[in-house]
């Protein structure tokens, strides 16, 4: 019987009954959407409402402060395109060099139009992640917006959100957080980490589907944001089609625009419900990641991830020797039913619910002959 060694939770999260649960949810959607009646929209929007409620519970977000987005890039654009001019014009937008590249592409491309200067805090020579102290040193009162990465995708570095958010408040900056690589494995609550807004997908540790992202914003800030990407679902009543009477919804629904991607939300509900019922996800991950670190040390590999579990997400990254072809190594491992990936010479290893200690042993036994 096939028993894949799966280490790709930084990309796509899995749980044991995911295929069956998703199939059931999407079949239900198909039946509702194909019914010859007028109940399609109430039913599918109800399913989307369940997705939003699960996300609100997960991060302890206030009612009305969270809605869905196709991905983190469109979510960030909705924020940028809605902020009052004085929030960004003539100011700096601060981001770390180990952010998710798509967000940097967007911020860089929009800088001239919105009149801000994008400042990217670099990774120090010979290191693998941007230090918090370097972010703080670059963060002065000229920073109109700082976008923080909860856990990085290239080193699994978990920043000190509490200190960074507190500093941003002192500087009078808006503070956004990309939760994508940490949410679902590292606990996060807006009660203790009061960011101005957060964005995320449901893909990774939450085991959801593509297209099921979220955007959440501090309730008292929502009223001043008027997203330029707007449409019929941006209104309090989406079915008001008076061309001369458009008015933004009073809550997070104003970040919506055209017809929402309900299918992605419906497909992710089973995974979010499964996740909400789990208690030992982090403990299981910590057992396996400690084993990965020990095996990497014994193999003489360079660790590209913090050793301190309080500064680490759910992944472990190792730096392959320059003599090793990372693409070829990933291919060889795949042929042995071991699934990892690499970004340059950095191999990314993310064990989750379907990963076992036997899989860790299998991985490092295979790597003996490759590195």
């Amino acid at each position: 019987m096939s028993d894949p060694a799966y280490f790709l939770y930084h990309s796509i999260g899995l749980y044991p009954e995911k295929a069956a649960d998703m199939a059931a949810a999407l079949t239900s959607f198909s039946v509702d959407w194909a019914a010859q009646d007028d109940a399609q929209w109430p039913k599918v929007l109800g399913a989307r409402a369940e997705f939003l409620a699960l996300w609100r519970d997960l991060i302890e977000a206030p009612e009305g402060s969270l809605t869905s987005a196709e991905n983190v890039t469109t979510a960030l654009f909705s924020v940028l395109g809605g902020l009052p001019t004085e929030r960004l014009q003539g100011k700096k937008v601060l981001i770390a060099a180990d952010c998710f590249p798509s967000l940097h592409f967007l911020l860089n491309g929009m800088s001239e139009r919105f009149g801000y200067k994008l400042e990217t805090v670099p990774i120090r020579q010979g290191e693998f992640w941007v230090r918090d102290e370097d972010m703080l040193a670059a963060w002065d009162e000229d920073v109109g917006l700082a976008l923080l990465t909860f856990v990085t995708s290239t080193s699994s570095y978990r920043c000190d959100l509490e200190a960074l958010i507190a500093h941003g408040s002192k500087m009078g900056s808006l503070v956004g957080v990309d939760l994508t690589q940490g949410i679902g494995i590292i606990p996060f609550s807006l009660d203790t980490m009061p960011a101005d807004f957060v964005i995320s997908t449901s893909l990774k540790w939450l085991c959801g589907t593509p297209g099921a992202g979220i955007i959440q914003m501090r309730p008292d800030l929502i009223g001043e944001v008027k997203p330029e990407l707007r449409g019929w679902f941006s209104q309090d009543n989406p079915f008001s089609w008076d061309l001369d009477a458009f008015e933004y919804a009073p809550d997070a629904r104003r970040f919506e625009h055209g017809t929402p991607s309900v299918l992605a939300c419906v497909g992710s509900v089973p995974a979010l419900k499964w996740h909400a019922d789990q208690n030992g996800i982090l403990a299981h991950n910590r057992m396996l990641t400690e084993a990965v670190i020990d095996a990497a040390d014994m193999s003489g590999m360079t660790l590209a991830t913090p050793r301190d579990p309080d500064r680490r997400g759910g992944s472990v990254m190792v730096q392959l020797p320059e003599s090793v072809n990372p693409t070829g190594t990933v291919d060889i491992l795949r042929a042995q039913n071991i699934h990892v990936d690499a970004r340059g010479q950095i191999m990314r290893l993310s064990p989750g619910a379907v990963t076992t200690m036997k899989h860790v042993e299998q991985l490092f036994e295979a790597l003996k002959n490759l590195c």
Side-chain angles (χ1 to χ4, degrees), residues 14-23 270 274 354:
L14 303 179
Y15 66 96
E17 301 301 323
K18 179 176 179 177
D21 287 352
M22 250 176 68
W274 172 85
V354 301

Side-chain angles (χ1 to χ4, degrees), residues 249-331:
D251 52 23
R253 290 174 295 160
R254 67 177 52 206
F255 291 109
E256 300 174 21
H257 34 85
T259 305
S261 181
V262 292
L263 187 59
C265 297
V266 169
S268 295
V269 164
L272 291 174
K273 292 173 73 173
W274 172 85
H275 183 274
D277 287 339
Q278 306 306 304
N279 293 313
I281 293 176
L282 182 57
H284 178 71
N285 170 267
R286 287 300 188 236
M287 175 185 69
L288 296 178
T289 49
E290 290 296 341
V292 168
I293 291 172
D294 289 345
D297 286 344
M298 291 181 64
S299 301
M301 292 181 172
T302 299
L303 196 66
T305 290
R307 292 183 181 275
D308 181 355
D310 291 335
R311 295 272 66 86
R312 191 172 72 239
S315 306
V316 174
M317 281 67 167
V318 295
Q319 186 178 41
L320 298 173
E322 288 299 323
S323 59
V324 173
N325 180 342
T327 302
T329 300
V330 170
D331 290 344

Side-chain angles (χ1 to χ4, degrees), residues 83-310:
L83 291 173
T85 302
E86 61 271 16
R87 286 283 192 177
L88 296 180
Q89 193 169 67
K91 297 189 177 182
K92 294 187 292 186
V93 170
L94 191 68
I95 196 167
D98 52 0
C99 65
F100 181 49
S102 185
L103 300 179
H104 196 279
F105 299 155
L106 176 67
L107 289 171
N108 193 40
M110 301 302 289
S111 61
E112 184 175 353
R113 178 179 168 193
F114 287 105
Y116 61 80
K117 178 185 177 183
L118 181 61
E119 183 165 341
T120 305
V121 180
I123 301 172
R124 295 188 186 187
Q125 183 70 31
E127 299 188 3
F128 297 103
W129 58 84
V130 175
R131 294 191 182 189
D132 291 343
E133 55 263 40
D134 291 344
M135 284 289 289
L136 292 170
W139 197 336
D140 57 24
E141 293 179 347
D142 290 333
V143 174
L145 167 66
L147 185 63
L148 307 177
T149 303
F150 183 27
V151 173
T152 68
S153 62
T154 51
S155 70
S156 196
Y157 177 68
R158 175 183 170 190
C159 68
D160 188 345
L161 275 184
E162 186 174 4
L164 292 169
I165 291 173
H167 182 78
S169 180
K170 289 180 183 178
M171 295 298 104
S173 311
L174 285 177
V175 181
V177 182
D178 173 15
L179 297 176
T180 301
Q181 287 290 346
I183 196 67
I185 191 66
I186 303 299
F188 175 88
S189 169
L190 287 164
D191 285 344
T192 55
M193 302 294 177
D196 294 308
F197 68 91
V198 300
I199 55 179
S200 187
T201 70
S202 305
L203 264 178
K204 303 176 190 294
W205 299 100
L206 289 174
C207 304
T209 68
I214 60 102
I215 177 171
Q216 189 279 339
M217 182 170 280
R218 204 180 76 223
D220 61 309
L221 181 61
I222 289 174
E224 71 174 77
V225 181
K226 297 179 179 179
E228 65 174 38
L229 181 60
R230 66 185 191 178
W232 65 312
F233 267 81
S234 310
Q235 305 175 102
D236 197 20
N237 174 17
F239 299 97
S240 172
W241 287 4
D242 185 338
L243 299 183
D244 299 316
F246 175 87
E247 188 172 348
Y248 286 105
D251 52 23
R253 290 174 295 160
R254 67 177 52 206
F255 291 109
E256 300 174 21
H257 34 85
T259 305
S261 181
V262 292
L263 187 59
C265 297
V266 169
S268 295
V269 164
L272 291 174
K273 292 173 73 173
W274 172 85
H275 183 274
D277 287 339
Q278 306 306 304
N279 293 313
I281 293 176
L282 182 57
H284 178 71
N285 170 267
R286 287 300 188 236
M287 175 185 69
L288 296 178
T289 49
E290 290 296 341
V292 168
I293 291 172
D294 289 345
D297 286 344
M298 291 181 64
S299 301
M301 292 181 172
T302 299
L303 196 66
T305 290
R307 292 183 181 275
D308 181 355
D310 291 335

Side-chain angles (χ1 to χ4, degrees), residues 64-76:
S65 70
L66 182 150
T67 193
S68 61
E70 186 178 354
N71 52 57
V72 293
T73 312
T74 58
L76 180 58

